[in-house]
Amino acid sequence: MKAQELRIQLEEKDISSTLRVQEHIEGYLEDQKKTYYEMCAKELKGHLISEVNWRERHHLLSCEQLGVNVRVGDICYVDFGRAYLQEAGFQHFGLVLSMCHGKAFVIPMTSNPVTYAQGYHPEWNPCGKQHLLQIGLVKGLIKPSVLFLNDAKFINTARIIDVKAHISIGSELFGVIEKRVKECINIG
């Protein structure tokens, strides 16, 4: 069954009966299985890890319930989950820029050298892409990294797997990041 047909059926039909629920679950799982078989190994791995993480964590209020304590400035390994084109998804590092009512405002990042080379930096790459901010090699990481400013978002901290490094909130680097995020979203 094509995804569009399945979506229409789910939107239009009453699925409250046990038989209907079973039919729709089986249809969805059959369709999902086909999709998984069409994926390359790397893509499939990201999907399956995120699925397991979601099953284990979606009911949690925060990562603190798993013994992970997060603070502003932490660089964390995060499961962002499924993503559309041009969005950071699945497992990536991310910088916690702020905390608000139990959620973390996180900027996804990568150490991919091609993406890093394209990133903006006020001193050594002022002509770089404005939505990418080079932050260099942060203590605790093993490669220079770049932030995806246009992918920043609030997340439930239960998506955070582990804390890997930290940027001091009083540092010049953290100030540059805050300034660039504000410029990127046209505030302040």
Side-chain angles (χ1 to χ4, degrees):
M1 178 179 304
K2 293 185 178 170
Q4 184 175 358
E5 292 171 13
L6 178 61
R7 185 176 49 256
I8 290 169
Q9 284 184 10
L10 290 171
E11 289 172 351
E12 292 179 352
K13 294 185 178 179
D14 174 21
I15 64 165
S16 60
S17 74
T18 304
L19 181 59
R20 289 236 186 251
V21 169
Q22 186 176 353
E23 287 174 14
H24 287 291
I25 290 172
E26 288 175 11
Y28 173 80
L29 291 175
E30 201 54 43
D31 188 55
Q32 190 60 46
K33 187 163 54 168
K34 289 176 189 172
T35 301
Y36 282 153
Y37 281 125
E38 294 170 359
M39 290 180 185
C40 68
K42 182 179 179 184
E43 185 181 12
L44 178 61
K45 181 180 176 181
H47 274 267
L48 295 178
I49 289 171
S50 277
E51 193 65 31
V52 170
N53 285 338
W54 180 82
R55 274 193 269 149
E56 291 177 349
R57 296 165 173 262
H58 77 277
H59 64 283
L60 301 176
L61 291 174
S62 75
C63 60
E64 289 179 359
Q65 293 175 276
L66 298 167
V68 179
N69 296 309
V70 177
R71 57 195 170 119
V72 173
D74 282 346
I75 294 175
C76 305
Y77 192 57
V78 180
D79 191 332
F80 289 99
R82 289 185 181 189
Y84 285 64
L85 290 177
Q86 302 288 337
E87 293 179 344
F90 302 109
Q91 302 82 40
H92 271 283
F93 285 89
L95 170 67
V96 176
L97 193 65
S98 72
M99 301 287 290
C100 180
H101 196 64
K103 288 187 174 184
F105 188 69
V106 178
I107 308 171
M109 55 196 284
T110 187
S111 61
N112 177 299
V114 174
T115 307
Y116 184 83
Q118 296 172 358
Y120 167 84
H121 188 277
E123 293 174 18
W124 59 77
N125 197 12
C127 294
K129 292 183 178 181
Q130 297 295 301
H131 70 286
L132 301 172
L133 177 62
Q134 296 177 350
I135 61 170
L137 180 60
V138 175
K139 184 179 177 183
L141 301 180
I142 58 172
K143 295 179 183 176
S145 298
V146 62
L147 299 170
F148 294 102
L149 300 176
N150 63 337
D151 262 326
K153 63 181 179 179
F154 280 101
I155 62 167
N156 176 332
T157 62
R159 290 181 173 274
I160 296 173
I161 309 299
D162 198 13
V163 176
K164 298 294 187 181
H166 185 79
I167 299 174
S168 172
I169 61 173
S171 69
E172 182 180 344
L173 176 58
F174 197 84
V176 167
I177 295 167
E178 284 183 315
K179 180 178 182 233
R180 287 292 304 128
V181 168
K182 288 176 183 177
E183 290 169 355
C184 186
I185 58 177
N186 296 316
I187 61 169

